[in-house]
Structure formats: structure tokens, C-alpha cells
Amino acid sequence: MKDKAQVLLASILTLLIGGMLTVFLHSADSITSPNYSRENAPLLRAGAGGDRILARQTDSIGFTYFDRQTKYSMADRVSYDPARELLQVVWMAATDPQAETTRGSYFAVFDVNDGVEKLNDWDALRLGNDGWPSLALFSDGTVGIAAHTPAKFSRNVAPRTDAFVTNNAGGSSSFFPRVAIAADDMIHLIYTFITGSALNQLAYIRSDDGGLSWSDEILLTGPDAVNGSAPRTADFDTYAISARGEDVVVVYLDANFALHQRRSRNNGQSWEADRVLLEAEYERNFEIEPLDGNQVRYRTDTSFTPGRDLDVILDNTGVAHVVFPLLRTFLTGVGTKNGSTIDRSGRDTVNVDRGAFMRFGLGMLRDSDSRLRSMGLPNGSGWDGDGVFVSGNEFGSNYTRFPQWGIDEDNTLYCVYSSVKNGDHGPATIEGSLIERALYGHVYLTHSLGDGDWSLPLDLTPEGEDCLYGSLANTVGDRLFVAYQSGSKPGIQFGTEDALEINAVRLISLSVDELNQQATDVHEVPSAATDMIASARIIPNPINTVGILNFTTTAPGLIAINLFDARGRHVAELYRRDTSIGLHRVQIDSGMLGLAAGSYYCRISGPADQTSVMLIVP
């Protein structure tokens, strides 16, 4: 450990020189947008499967001009202390659309003994404008907040207060920290790096004195990882951590979409070897197009694949539960044809089957077995395909995003996630282009019912608002608490902060007794998908008035092909018939269809799978 006396002295000087670390800015009452003039949102409505109305309270607790809370995985932003009936929330926010200096981590604390009473204004921690915070609860009711850059750790000096002491934790290039605190108040911190040879490597440190000093850094990924080399992470925000007792579990996704776990059973002192929990398995290759000699362009079958939005939680038996968007992916590339087989080159491109977004939502695994289960569907029960998803970062995610776990003392799991709602769409301008049927985001809640069943997801949020980034307090008692962000325009906006609208940060308090006990249609996901549509391609593309859509099927069955424009509007049905195994051709005549110049999508749908091909009309 570093010299505790020096670090403590530096912290005291920082507090004295800087005054209180909290800077009082605008409160939630400053929200002037007509969308947020009310204090309470409509009552909680059931998801797509029902119309039951549940009693609960929704309050606006703050605001921000900064839309983006994460790139992929959502950090814990809410803590609930049942013994003291305290709720503490931290959020990435900016209070001025023109002033980047107001961007940082904002904090609020609530007394939830009788309703929800806010004890402070919407206050900026202003830790050098550090953001992307992660929050965890100490046993005395205080909270620890990790933020960057570089990775710092802050702890409030007492429960019910917004005065914090801050110390550096990681090195100068440490980035996107995630924190977990075990029952003995041991702090476990992971982060990645933004520069140098350690780029996208995941590091771990721990503290046993409340964050005043830290252990030596241990690499969990990369060539110098502890207990053997391990792949680097796929990107920033593609990892999560949980701690309970002396168990510490870290999960991460690598660049090849494989889900890994690192585990310590002695408070982070030593680590088990890297373990792959789930990775895509491609078994068959299909020829798409012959090239020179024996070279061919190929496509593989599709395989279930984990997405980049991860969370993990340990139950009281030590089992780790992992949740993520469930994707179906396939590879394309150029290979060598040898008789009836195709040898892949090894320089494949990973592609996401977007048609599967309608039918699959979240996947979950337990590290105690290898069963992959489906849960948390888009729209609660499946998306109908109407509208355009505009919330960015689609690759590596599907139409269910940002899952977060909570757990109670009986090991009942609770999960909030963001998705879409059938029929809830409106106009939005994204990167200068008008999208007329852009889908609004919604925040859903589902919980385990035993025997592998999950409740029908509940829609926690109103229509006509873009609601995303649900964060659920890990500890669930008689009530559970969810914070989320909402705006009046569909889509996550970033890169042009000066054009951002005001967003509300909202808090939901909900009685667990009122949760829906109706089971949804969840199922164990088979180890391999059954693919009927093996390949699809339009030649030529861009078309010359007339083009040919070639597609190959591996099983007989009904195939429907529909054409949509770039805004998601249905243009025409091109084909619907029972097909045999083999190659099929459909003519597309842009003149007869009256197609204007632009981009279109041909959606090819079979009984069990679906794929889309872009069509360009010059």
C-alpha cells in the first residue's frame, strides 16, 4: 500500500484549499422544458403483455444537457441502504449546453423512510470535471464513487451528506473505472487504459482503508495478464465487476465477441485463469460468389453471440450471474474452395444478423453451468419491426441495451434494461437526416420467478419520451429503486453537445409486492441456431434499373421478402412462397416499383430466421 499518512494529508489539504468539493448549481426545479414541468410521470404501466396499472412514485431529481451515459455497459449509479433508508445517486451530467466545464459527476441523496425526500440539490461533485462515474455502498452508509480521467475514488465523509474526499486511484491513462465494495468494506476497482501499450487492457487494484491507499496494479487481460495471457477487451465499457464476501468476479468481452470471466476467491490477492463463458461457434460455410480460380466469397451460418453491454452480480451462494444483449452473428470473407468444402482465410469480417433483433433480447449465464437462457425481450414481448432504431452503437448491441442487475436476500434477481415499444415513434433528425418513425427508448423491469422463468417485463416509462440508461440499486428490499434519463427526442445524441436538448434524470420507487408474477415465454437457447437463409446478395448493386436478389436456403419453408426505405417505411412485398433447398432469384425492377434514388433494405424472412440486404438506387 502507498503511504497512508501522505495521502490523507493531501486529501485534507485538497478539501481545505478547494472548499467543499460539491458545487451548488441548478436544482431540478430549474427544468423549463414543457416536457418536464410536471413532478410525476404517469403511473407505471405493464409491458406489451398486459394493461395492469401499478402504484409507484416517479420523481424528477435532476437534469442534464449531456445525453450519453456510457458507450456500452451501464455502471452502477444508484445505491440503496435498507437499514438507514437512504438512497444515493450519481449521474454524468452537464448543466450548460454551451459550457463543457459544467460536465461531470452529479450527486444526490434521498431519505426514503416515508416516500422519497431529497436531502440536497442536484449538485456537481466536480472532481476536476471527472465523469463516467461508478458507485458502490459502504457498510456505514457512505458511498464510494469511481470516475475518470485518470481513475479517482471519492467517498462522502458521512451518510446523508454531499461532502466528498477524493484520491487518485489509477495511473495517468486509466479510464472508465468500475467499483465494487464487499461486506468487509474492501474496495475492488477495475479500469482500462486509453493510450500506450496497455490500450484496452483491464487492470485491477484494491483498497482496505476506504480508498486512501491502493494495492499494486494487476493486469487481468493482455499478454502480461496474471496467471497467463488473456485477450484484451473489445472496447471501453465492455466489462463489469461484482464482489461478495471474499469473492470477486470480473467479466469482459474481447474483440472477437467472446465473453470471459476472471475470478478471485481471496479478495483479489490471486486470480484464477481466464475462462471463456460464451463465444460464437460457426460450423458451416456457404458460397456467395465465385472469384478467380478456386477463390470464393463465403458466408458462415449464424451463431448466438454475446453483445457488449454487460453486467454481473454474485448471489449469496457465490454463483455469478451475467447478463448481456443476445446477438446472432455470421462471418464473411474470401476463402479457397476444395471440392464441397470451403477453407476460410482467417481474415473474416464479423456481421450482425439484424433480423434477429426482433426476436431476441437479453441472454444470461451462470458460471455454475453452461446453459444460455433468453430473457428481457425487446418491447417486453418482441418488437413488431415498425420504426427505426436510432440510439447509436448498434454493432455489439441489439434492441435491448444497458442491462443492470439487482438482487434480494432470497437470491431473486431483478433486471432493468432499455428497449423500444411497439408503436411509440416520432420524427428525429440524426446527423442531418430526418427520420420520421424514430423509435423512443423505454426502460423495462423483469425479475426471476424460479425454475428458470422470468416475469413478463414491465414498461416503467411513459410514451413520447426517449427513456434510456436505467440504473437499478443492487440491493433490493421491500422496494426497489431505478434511475433513468429521458428526453423529448428519440435517439442518443453525442458529438454535437451544443445542439443537445435538456434531459431529465428521473427516479422510480416501486414496491416489490406489486411486481408482475406472470411468466414470460423464456427458453433455453439451443447451442446452435438453425439457419434457413444461408446467403443473400443483390447483383448489380447499385442496380441498373433492374437487379437480381440471389438467396440460398438450407431447408424448405415459407420465405417472404419485403422492401423498406431508409426511414423504415414499407415499400412493397417482393416475394412470398414456399421454397425448396437451394439457390433462388428474385428480380427487382426499380422503375416498376417507382423507387427514387436512395438506400433501401430487402428483408428476407423465414420461419426461424431473418436477414436484410441493402439496395442502392443511383
Side-chain angles (χ1 to χ4, degrees), residues 288-289 536-550 563 585-590 595 598 600 602 613-618:
I288 297 176
E289 178 187 10
R537 192 177 185 199
I538 297 172
I539 300 175
N541 198 10
I543 67 171
N544 233 341
T545 306
V546 175
I548 302 297
L549 169 61
N550 298 287
L563 184 66
R585 294 179 174 87
V586 177
Q587 179 174 293
I588 302 174
D589 189 322
S590 62
L595 302 183
Y600 299 82
C602 292
V613 182
M614 178 178 285
L615 167 68
I616 300 175
V617 178

Side-chain angles (χ1 to χ4, degrees), residues 461-474:
T461 48
E463 294 185 7
E465 292 186 14
D466 196 45
C467 302
L468 297 166
Y469 302 121
S471 185
L472 172 64
N474 282 167

